[in-house]
Amino acid sequence: MYLWVKAAHIISVMAWMAALLYLPRLFVYHSAVPVGGLISEQFKIMERRLARGIMLPAGVFTWFFGIWVAVLGGYFVKLETWFLLKLALVVCLSLLHFRLDQYVVMFGNNVRPASQNYFRMINEVPAVILVVITILIVVRPF
């Protein structure tokens, strides 16, 4: 059972990370086009579908299966440092998720919340967190 739940968790994480990496990239391009134009309207549709159709369900499933894996693996009992750091970083990804969702709403209301450069920087955050989480899980340095 543990391996099936772990596989479901990994699949969910991959989908969630794909959305967390792609959505800010859409914002980079969206912030460069005129408000109200056809391209802007297309970006709104793409962003909303990505956020609601992929990012939200994948985030929920990531948490669901992740907690299940932690329970089955006894990680909440052991509370090792690597696990606590991983959990803290997943909370950070969740906060980023909610912030990106706010940007979807802002762009949907024809508000440009930030510059292209800002979204380029935000685009790197989930990748860095993913690298650190992967090292924590595989290497368990602490």
Side-chain angles (χ1 to χ4, degrees):
M1 176 70 121
Y2 175 80
L3 293 177
W4 285 103
V5 176
K6 190 174 184 180
H9 178 59
I10 292 169
I11 292 165
S12 300
V13 168
M14 286 190 297
W16 193 35
M17 289 306 303
L20 289 173
L21 291 164
Y22 186 50
L23 192 55
R25 180 54 46 187
L26 287 176
F27 295 155
V28 168
Y29 301 130
H30 193 170
S31 61
V33 300
V35 173
L38 288 176
I39 296 173
S40 178
E41 295 304 310
Q42 184 63 42
F43 276 123
K44 288 180 193 181
I45 293 168
M46 293 168 63
E47 292 158 359
R48 187 181 68 251
R49 287 181 180 170
L50 179 60
R52 302 300 186 285
I54 297 172
M55 190 170 73
L56 179 61
V60 169
F61 283 125
T62 295
W63 272 99
F64 175 77
F65 289 119
I67 290 169
W68 197 355
V69 166
V71 168
L72 291 175
Y75 300 128
F76 287 120
V77 175
K78 299 173 195 171
L79 289 180
E80 296 177 51
T81 305
W82 72 267
F83 176 72
L84 295 173
L85 288 172
K86 178 206 176 204
L87 194 57
L89 289 170
V90 174
V91 168
C92 290
L93 285 175
S94 298
L95 294 172
L96 177 64
H97 172 134
F98 291 118
R99 187 63 179 151
L100 294 177
D101 198 55
Q102 290 174 332
Y103 291 141
V104 169
V105 172
M106 289 179 201
F107 275 109
N109 291 326
N110 292 322
V111 174
R112 296 295 192 259
S115 69
Q116 284 181 294
N117 288 335
Y118 171 80
F119 288 118
R120 279 190 180 95
M121 289 186 330
I122 291 297
N123 188 227
E124 303 306 322
V125 172
V128 171
I129 293 175
L130 175 64
V131 168
V132 175
I133 287 175
T134 302
I135 291 168
L136 287 171
I137 294 168
V138 174
V139 178
R140 296 187 184 181
F142 307 105

